[in-house]
Amino acid sequence: MLIGVLGVQGDFREHRFMLERLGIPFKIVRTPEELNQVDGLIIAGGESTTMIRIMKRVGLFDYLKEKIKNGLPVYGTCAGMILLAAHVENYPQESLGAIDIHVVRNAYGRQVDSFVESVEVKGLDSPFEAIFIRAPKVVKWKNDVHVLSELEGTPVMLRQDNVLVSSFHPELTGDPRIHDYFVNMVKGA
Ligand code: GLN
């Protein structure tokens, strides 16, 4: 099993360190050929607009969309969540349309409004320290999207079939439990 980390922009190195820590084989993915070699893909936080632009340029955008439709497990954190959402409400931007959620970009405020909050996550036996940095807010989600964690009534981690998203950044903590969850998702796929 090989986990891919999309390496076009953003804090993908932190995801890589987390996988290294877990002893999970990984590959940085920047081309369709590299995407073909992995069994699951993590999309990091960063700037979703920039990520889309670069992915289109290298032919990754439509190709990844197709792979996800065919069952490739993916996990998007923050900007990665925006990329995977069905619709971005406050910004005219394309997305991969992989999970039936609507998001609002930067809904938790500016960089200076970043915060850490302890959240309950389904399947974890103790709370997770969630780091939010100019995070997107999920404002709509379909019935078959499972909410795995919420903060003050708003979902912050969700899953629909092979697609996992969180508006926070577990890669910036020392806690590997959510990466472990995704690795198990890939193993079970
Ligand atoms: N604000 C970024 C965006 O809209 C996401 C921020 C992040 O990934 N930390 O793409």
Side-chain angles (χ1 to χ4, degrees):
M1 184 204 53
L2 190 61
I3 303 273
V5 180
L6 184 69
V8 297
Q9 193 266 341
D11 76 333
F12 60 91
R13 291 172 198 85
E14 282 70 17
H15 281 287
R16 181 191 144 163
F17 296 147
M18 195 61 104
L19 294 171
E20 256 166 13
R21 242 189 82 185
L22 285 170
I24 303 292
F26 66 88
K27 181 174 187 64
I28 302 294
V29 170
R30 294 195 174 97
T31 63
E33 294 69 36
E34 286 164 345
L35 183 60
N36 271 337
Q37 296 163 27
V38 300
D39 305 296
L41 184 75
I42 294 178
I43 307 177
E47 277 305 327
S48 48
T49 318
T50 312
M51 284 159 91
I52 293 168
R53 203 176 307 142
I54 300 172
M55 285 168 78
K56 289 209 159 195
R57 198 188 305 147
V58 296
L60 258 179
F61 191 82
D62 292 325
Y63 195 63
L64 175 59
K65 199 169 186 169
E66 203 50 39
K67 293 278 282 191
I68 299 171
K69 214 177 281 168
N70 291 331
L72 180 78
V74 283
Y75 173 33
T77 59
C78 202
M81 173 198 246
I82 299 169
L83 237 66
L84 290 166
H87 183 64
V88 183
E89 296 220 331
N90 60 335
Y91 206 78
Q93 111 178 353
E94 261 189 275
S95 63
L96 293 164
I99 180 165
D100 283 323
I101 59 172
H102 287 202
V103 299
V104 173
R105 279 181 75 184
N106 301 325
Y108 290 97
R110 287 146 41 92
Q111 197 88 16
V112 287
D113 303 315
S114 302
F115 60 97
V116 184
E117 198 68 59
S118 189
V119 296
E120 300 282 342
V121 176
K122 274 189 191 144
L124 302 187
D125 49 16
S126 63
F128 194 91
E129 290 292 294
I131 300 177
F132 294 84
I133 303 168
R134 291 198 306 129
K137 197 173 251 180
V138 178
V139 289
K140 278 185 205 157
W141 60 100
K142 286 215 173 132
N143 280 343
D144 55 344
V145 176
H146 299 286
V147 176
L148 300 177
S149 178
E150 56 180 52
L151 178 64
E152 288 159 8
T154 296
V156 292
M157 180 170 166
L158 310 94
R159 176 175 175 182
Q160 186 179 30
D161 305 318
N162 54 323
V163 183
L164 179 71
V165 293
S166 67
S167 47
F168 57 90
H169 291 268
E171 74 280 12
L172 299 179
T173 66
D175 189 339
R177 289 179 295 167
I178 292 179
H179 286 77
D180 201 42
Y181 178 97
F182 179 62
V183 168
N184 282 320
M185 235 174 99
V186 176
K187 280 183 184 158

